[in-house]
Amino acid sequence: MYPDPKRVRDNRQTVRFDDYEDELLRILSKMTGAQTSTLIRELAMRQAEEMLADAFFGQQPKADASLPRAAG
């Protein structure tokens, strides 16, 4: 059926966002024309690959791309 059955995307991860994060993702989704879930997956995979490359090749980490959080 598939050349590589391990490439079938049937592993699910749950991620929760607050209202501000959700709004940011929805705006970006509208701007790019991509579905929000597809956009989140692409962003997560890109970041994971960068982090792995940085760790593996000993490169200096780039600036933190996460949103600033208020001290709680």
Side-chain angles (χ1 to χ4, degrees):
M1 182 189 243
Y2 291 98
D4 184 356
K6 290 187 176 192
R7 299 296 300 179
V8 177
R9 295 181 182 148
D10 60 355
N11 298 296
R12 181 180 297 228
Q13 302 295 325
T14 301
V15 180
R16 298 192 184 274
F17 300 99
D18 64 24
D19 289 345
Y20 301 109
E21 295 164 335
D22 185 63
E23 183 179 7
L24 175 79
L25 291 168
R26 289 182 189 276
I27 290 169
L28 188 56
S29 177
K30 286 180 183 177
M31 288 176 56
T32 62
Q35 291 183 357
T36 306
S37 58
T38 302
L39 179 66
I40 293 167
R41 182 185 183 282
E42 289 176 4
L43 292 170
M45 294 306 299
R46 184 179 305 154
Q47 184 67 26
E49 290 171 354
E50 284 182 21
M51 290 176 72
L52 187 59
D54 289 345
F56 185 74
F57 294 113
Q59 298 171 354
Q60 291 295 323
K62 297 181 177 109
D64 187 6
S66 65
L67 297 172
R69 303 284 180 199

